[in-house]
Amino acid sequence: MTMLNVAHVDKTFNTGTPLESHVLRSVNMSLHKGDYATIIGGNGAGKSTLMNIVAGTHLPDSGTITIDGHNVTKLPEFKRAAYLGRVFQDPMVGTAASMNIEENLALAYRRGKRRGFRWYISSKERDLYRERLSDLELGLESRLTDKVGLLSGGQRQALALIMATLQEPRVLLLDEHTAALDPKTAPKVLEIGNKIIKKYNLTTMMVTHNMKDAIRHGNRLIMMKAGQIVLDISGGEKKNLTVEHLIARFNQVSDEDFDDDAALLV
Amino acid sequence: MELIIQGAISLGLLWSLMTIGVFMTFRILNMPDLSVEGTVILGAATAARLVSNGHNPFMATIMAALVGSIGGFVTGFLHTKLKIPPILSGILTMVASYSIVIRIMGTSNIALPPHGPTRVVSVFTFLQEMGLTRQTSIMVFAAIVVILMGAAYYFFCGTEIGSAVRATGNNRQMVAAQGVNTNAMIIMYLMISNGFVALSGALVAQQQGFASVDMGVGTIVVGLASVIIAEVLFNVRRFWARLLTLVAGSIIYRLIITLVLELGMPATDLRLFLAITVVIALTLPLIREKLVKAFEKLKARGGRSR
Ligand SMILES: Nc1ncnc2c1ncn2[C@@H]1O[C@H](COP(=O)(O)OP(=O)(O)OP(=O)(O)O)[C@@H](O)[C@H]1O
Ligand SMILES: [Mg+2]
């Protein structure tokens, strides 16, 4: 069953100005339910733009985006959020620093639901939050009323992962969500994400600059270059993928030498 | 003297609704909203016109708050839909308000004498008729309104929508990703804050017995000064306590003004005094930091010489 379908999507920024850049060029991509696609590509390849187009932060110039059978191409970001969970690269972006942990979670718990003049949280929810937080094994379950601003970057990203998946998303979008973390914390947050993805069988897109992570995780590997998807590796090939094989595959589809891009990837 | 202090307290109470309005945008929404300079006179003018025409003063006051909300809506619309920067959006509403106010009042000021043959019935008249003095009825009525509105705002902030508004002020990107229509939140919240400001203007007009186009000048600075006084003097955490200190800050501000005027400062110097006070209050954290550093240096030097 197709969960996410991106068809013939084009996006140009600053059309008609000297800064004009054609960032996505007729991109086609389809994720099945439970697919976990890692996305790699050099700086400016259009990975984040693709995520933002799926999320509705930007609208495409042409093409269609379908999530779980719903055509969302023209839907504004806040309406599309009902289908999506997102974690951003910057830990500051995914959480509200001046609000406490349970307030952040309560906001996320209401994603896709009508917000009204009911109290912002119920005591039943607190039990759920404690349970979900204890899965992180970071001790956050006993700190529900601590301001999120007091948490470390890694704790904030872990919390953001919980927030993105508290209401099960049709598609989970992770855009370099561990890139801002220190080398010891990054793999932990990645692992936490993997656990959640597996537990709920979430359809996932994860952008990373770490080729080894891209190879090790997920059942699909998508490589972007200059606004196009140049590689889409899945199935057994993905399972047995090695760095050497990936480079060989890239050289097959590209006339340029991989080294230029490889430098940006590893 | 006692009467003067009582007057300052009443005025502080009445203006505290404006202070809460300023706090809402400056502190919660993180969006300095200058339209309050306009909506405060929109409120005063609407109430004055209706009351002087003999309409029910309570209805008049509610209408005044609604007209202020429309001003807030305009600012929010300019900012969110037309993408005009927040400060400019506020200034545009403020400037336009002056013309609207003249249209509402038909003249640049309306007198609302509380006594005499041309006396108008205001919201304070009813308590007076129950036997209270004018001073006391103003104070009692002001306190009731402030408590009711403060409580309403407190509970609003605790609702799902209130929580979404607070998050919008904190991190727009995050709340949008959580499915909140941030533009709608901003517009609605500006309507609430400017409703408070206009209500404040409407009550002050009835208290002082007149409304005029220039009574709004400096409102934003007065509001900010009160907010800062509250934060510097009390520095509390809990939300209801913060709201209470805003009322206190507003009263203290009025007492300070009353005091300097009593000490002989010309009323025309008031705005300069006010601006300087706000500058000092805003730089206080910087000064404090410098002092702490200087102190530590001194201590370090002292330690070495021993
Ligand atoms: N809002 C925007 N306005 C104008 N140009 C943009 C905008 N967003 C992205 N771009 C441009 O689009 C191109 C692709 O950017 P994008 O952020 O999608 O790349 P990326 O693959 O995520 O790169 P990185 O690995 O550096 O994050 C870049 O040239 C960028 O400058
Ligand atoms: Mg990117």
Side-chain angles (χ1 to χ4, degrees):
Chain A
M1 188 181 75
T2 306
M3 199 46 127
L4 171 69
N5 190 53
V6 175
H8 310 294
V9 161
D10 263 88
K11 180 69 187 176
T12 302
F13 285 113
N14 304 312
T15 311
T17 73
L19 292 172
E20 178 168 313
S21 57
H22 198 166
V23 177
L24 294 180
R25 296 161 186 269
S26 189
V27 171
N28 291 294
M29 186 187 73
S30 192
L31 295 185
H32 292 282
K33 167 107 187 88
D35 268 357
Y36 178 176
T38 58
I39 299 177
I40 56 172
N43 290 106
K47 307 178 297 292
S48 297
T49 306
L50 179 59
M51 289 266 190
N52 287 334
I53 290 258
V54 170
T57 314
H58 302 307
L59 296 182
D61 301 332
S62 60
T64 52
I65 295 146
T66 317
I67 301 175
D68 199 13
H70 304 271
N71 183 343
V72 299
T73 314
K74 299 225 159 60
L75 225 50
E77 183 178 17
F78 75 90
K79 282 194 179 152
R80 240 184 262 194
Y83 304 118
L84 301 168
R86 297 181 81 182
V87 182
F88 302 90
Q89 177 173 352
D90 183 351
M92 302 296 157
V93 174
T95 46
S98 70
M99 296 172 81
N100 64 34
I101 293 180
E102 65 178 24
E103 284 171 328
N104 273 273
L105 286 165
L107 276 167
Y109 188 63
R110 284 159 179 73
R111 183 164 52 75
K113 299 198 171 150
R114 245 194 115 71
R115 286 164 218 263
F117 291 103
R118 285 177 302 264
W119 203 244
Y120 76 95
I121 194 172
S122 69
S123 50
K124 250 204 341 252
E125 284 168 57
R126 287 198 179 92
D127 295 335
L128 171 69
Y129 300 161
R130 277 193 206 98
E131 185 193 315
R132 296 294 291 266
L133 288 172
S134 64
D135 286 346
L136 298 176
E137 296 173 5
L138 294 171
L140 294 182
E141 61 275 13
S142 59
R143 298 177 61 186
L144 281 184
T145 54
D146 276 8
K147 289 257 187 310
V148 168
L150 299 172
L151 304 183
S152 70
Q155 288 171 329
R156 282 179 80 158
Q157 286 306 69
L159 176 63
L161 271 168
I162 301 276
M163 288 170 64
T165 54
L166 202 50
Q167 285 297 337
E168 194 172 307
R170 314 286 169 95
V171 181
L172 176 62
L173 303 174
L174 309 172
D175 190 354
E176 297 192 53
H177 67 301
T178 63
L181 305 178
D182 64 68
K184 255 174 84 180
T185 316
K188 277 186 200 150
V189 171
L190 204 63
E191 223 24 75
I192 288 167
N194 278 340
K195 242 164 76 180
I196 296 174
I197 290 164
K198 199 166 190 182
K199 187 167 172 186
Y200 301 98
N201 191 27
L202 298 177
T203 311
T204 305
M205 281 171 78
M206 178 174 85
V207 174
T208 175
H209 269 281
N210 185 318
M211 212 193 329
K212 295 203 184 83
D213 283 342
I215 289 171
R216 198 179 310 133
H217 304 292
N219 67 336
R220 297 255 308 256
L221 185 147
I222 288 171
M223 181 186 275
M224 290 189 72
K225 185 172 162 33
Q228 287 181 317
I229 293 180
V230 291
L231 275 182
D232 186 343
I233 299 170
S234 58
E237 189 183 2
K238 168 69 176 68
K239 238 182 221 143
N240 304 317
L241 196 61
T242 60
V243 175
E244 292 74 30
H245 184 74
L246 180 59
I247 293 173
R249 279 296 308 267
F250 179 80
N251 286 334
Q252 263 174 22
V253 296
S254 170
D255 41 6
E256 286 165 59
D257 210 18
F258 188 81
D259 290 347
D260 308 342
D261 285 278
L264 294 168
L265 287 175
V266 191
Chain B
M1 190 66 203
E2 201 176 309
L3 218 64
I4 294 172
I5 291 178
Q6 253 191 38
I9 293 174
S10 301
L11 212 49
L13 275 173
L14 294 174
W15 278 124
S16 70
L17 293 166
M18 180 274 287
T19 302
I20 293 174
V22 168
F23 167 85
M24 287 182 197
T25 48
F26 265 81
R27 284 293 187 252
I28 303 298
L29 196 56
N30 266 322
M31 176 183 153
D33 173 25
L34 301 189
S35 38
V36 297
E37 299 251 333
T39 48
V40 74
I41 46 171
L42 280 176
T46 307
R49 177 66 194 265
L50 291 173
V51 167
S52 68
N53 283 1
H55 289 284
N56 179 311
F58 295 100
M59 281 312 293
T61 306
I62 291 169
M63 280 300 291
L66 292 180
V67 171
S69 292
I70 297 173
F73 173 84
V74 171
T75 304
F77 183 83
L78 293 179
H79 171 52
T80 60
K81 303 288 183 195
L82 305 187
K83 309 286 174 213
I84 297 172
I87 304 248
L88 192 52
S89 303
I91 291 176
L92 290 169
T93 302
M94 171 182 104
V95 170
S97 294
Y98 285 95
S99 302
I100 309 277
V101 160
I102 303 274
R103 283 201 176 257
I104 290 174
M105 297 202 293
T107 155
S108 61
N109 56 66
I110 290 182
L112 309 164
H115 312 288
T118 55
R119 155 193 121 99
V120 298
V121 177
S122 74
V123 284
F124 307 114
T125 312
F126 297 91
L127 285 174
Q128 265 172 278
E129 279 169 358
M130 288 167 69
L132 298 182
T133 65
R134 181 162 172 84
Q135 259 316 345
T136 319
S137 25
I138 290 171
M139 200 127 80
V140 170
F141 188 75
I144 293 171
V145 174
V146 168
I147 289 170
L148 285 180
M149 296 305 288
Y153 177 58
Y154 175 80
F155 282 108
F156 169 78
C157 282
T159 64
E160 291 169 341
I161 288 180
S163 174
V165 168
R166 283 187 293 143
T168 302
N170 197 218
N171 186 344
R172 279 195 205 182
Q173 233 179 316
M174 171 260 185
V175 275
Q178 298 305 344
V180 174
N181 183 349
T182 50
N183 286 350
M185 291 297 126
I186 291 169
I187 291 176
M188 178 191 63
Y189 198 59
L190 285 171
M191 290 178 72
I192 296 176
S193 67
N194 281 291
F196 270 64
V197 172
L199 175 61
S200 196
L203 294 175
V204 169
Q206 294 174 69
Q207 180 267 349
Q208 67 188 12
F210 69 91
S212 68
V213 264
D214 54 11
M215 69 182 269
V217 179
T219 303
I220 193 73
V221 186
V222 174
L224 262 184
S226 309
V227 170
I228 293 166
I229 289 171
E231 288 173 353
V232 170
L233 286 188
F234 303 105
N235 186 26
V236 291
R237 276 282 166 79
R238 302 192 76 96
F239 192 65
W240 59 264
R242 276 179 90 181
L243 291 180
L244 268 184
T245 61
L246 289 176
V247 179
S250 190
I251 292 172
I252 292 167
Y253 166 79
R254 287 293 152 190
L255 288 172
I256 294 172
I257 296 300
T258 309
L259 188 71
V260 294
L261 289 179
E262 281 296 304
L263 290 176
M265 193 176 82
T268 45
D269 285 348
L270 209 54
R271 289 197 179 127
L272 177 64
F273 171 78
L274 180 55
I276 293 172
T277 323
V278 172
V279 169
I280 293 173
L282 282 173
T283 42
L284 221 58
L286 205 76
I287 296 168
R288 197 183 288 154
E289 197 180 313
K290 284 248 159 74
L291 280 178
V292 168
K293 273 201 186 127
F295 183 69
E296 274 168 2
K297 238 189 215 158
L298 243 129
K299 235 173 45 182
R301 213 175 287 156
R304 240 176 282 139
S305 69
R306 229 174 281 141

